[in-house]
Amino acid sequence: EAQVTQNPRYLITVTGKKLTVTCSQNMNHEYMSWYRQDPGLGLRQIYYSMNVEVTDKGDVPEGYKVSRKEKRNFPLILESPSPNQTSLYFCASSARQGYEQYFGPGTRLTVT
Amino acid sequence: QKEVEQNSGPLSVPEGAIASLNCTYSDRGSQSFFWYRQYSGKSPELIMSIYSNGDKEDGRFTAQLNKASQYVSLLIRDSQPSDSATYLCAVERDTGRRALTFGSGTRLQVQP
């Protein structure tokens, strides 16, 4: 089954404790992206990657890091999480830019 | 001015009626347009994509694009209670990174 998976689905952590949210897709997609969704602000892009070893900032990259060492994986790293990063995070992938993006199930992160 | 604007709703329609959802965008160079449906707590699910002016039909859904007026709409015919969800308009901006920008969504309620 073609899908985008994320782990963990739910995470409660404390300020400053490094964490990684994994994202994996099995569709051989070149393009992957991370979004956060907050009430009243909608979905905002954090980082994106056009291919292996090619990543770039989205609209709200501060406080986040990403890497793309393999085509299928695109982890999101929070080196020192803060409460304002409490949000619902989605990973997405598409065959190419301009094509439809398919979303993972989401990761609900709470930073206390 | 927001880059992608939608009426937040809720838009309430009776079962069997046509629901009309609208979206305007500010970047005149935008090339790709998408409608996603999102149930509460779930990930966005792609409904329609449209790339050229005019109408595109898929089952009960019709997407309409007018680049001159910078709006895109979604019509849902024979609305069902299961269509009750938030509908997100997404636009791929004509920037160097061709990011996907989402509107905040319109909440649709279909009354049985």
Side-chain angles (χ1 to χ4, degrees), chain A residues 9 31 35 37 40-45 48 50 56-59 88 90 96-106 108, chain B residues 2-3 32-34 36 38 41-46 48-49 51 56 88 92-93 96-105:
Chain A
R9 296 288 315 279
Y31 188 88
Y35 296 87
Q37 187 172 36
L41 297 176
L43 276 158
R44 295 177 293 167
Q45 190 182 51
Y48 70 101
M50 289 190 287
D56 207 349
K57 297 176 181 178
D59 295 314
L88 180 57
F90 290 104
R96 264 178 270 165
Q97 288 177 301
Y99 280 56
E100 298 90 343
Q101 292 194 26
Y102 296 91
F103 284 78
R108 187 167 292 280
Chain B
K2 288 185 179 178
E3 294 180 28
S32 307
F33 306 86
F34 308 92
Y36 286 83
Q38 187 176 26
K42 302 294 185 182
S43 59
E45 172 193 11
L46 181 70
M48 295 282 290
S49 59
Y51 303 96
K56 179 181 178 183
L88 305 172
E92 184 163 294
R93 307 197 307 266
R97 59 183 172 90
R98 299 183 67 84
L100 197 63
T101 301
F102 285 82
S104 297

Side-chain angles (χ1 to χ4, degrees), chain A residues 58-85:
Chain A
D59 295 314
V60 288
E62 294 77 21
Y64 305 94
K65 285 175 58 178
V66 293
S67 68
R68 186 96 181 270
K69 293 183 170 50
E70 306 167 279
K71 197 171 188 177
R72 63 181 292 129
N73 296 323
F74 189 45
L76 179 70
I77 303 157
L78 284 72
E79 295 267 0
S80 182
S82 62
N84 64 12
Q85 292 179 297

Side-chain angles (χ1 to χ4, degrees), chain B residues 15-91:
Chain B
E15 184 174 356
I18 296 175
S20 178
L21 304 161
N22 299 312
C23 170
T24 59
Y25 60 94
S26 60
D27 187 340
R28 188 169 285 280
S30 298
Q31 300 293 322
S32 307
F33 306 86
F34 308 92
W35 282 100
Y36 286 83
R37 176 176 64 198
Q38 187 176 26
Y39 294 109
S40 181
K42 302 294 185 182
S43 59
E45 172 193 11
L46 181 70
I47 298 176
M48 295 282 290
S49 59
I50 188 166
Y51 303 96
S52 55
N53 281 329
D55 294 0
K56 179 181 178 183
E57 187 173 319
D58 184 359
R60 295 188 295 113
F61 300 98
T62 298
Q64 299 174 316
L65 175 61
N66 184 321
K67 288 186 178 181
S69 300
Q70 295 177 241
Y71 83 77
V72 57
S73 63
L74 179 70
L75 300 178
I76 306 175
R77 289 181 298 281
D78 188 24
S79 295
Q80 302 297 309
S82 59
D83 294 325
S84 298
T86 296
Y87 289 80
L88 305 172
C89 172
V91 175

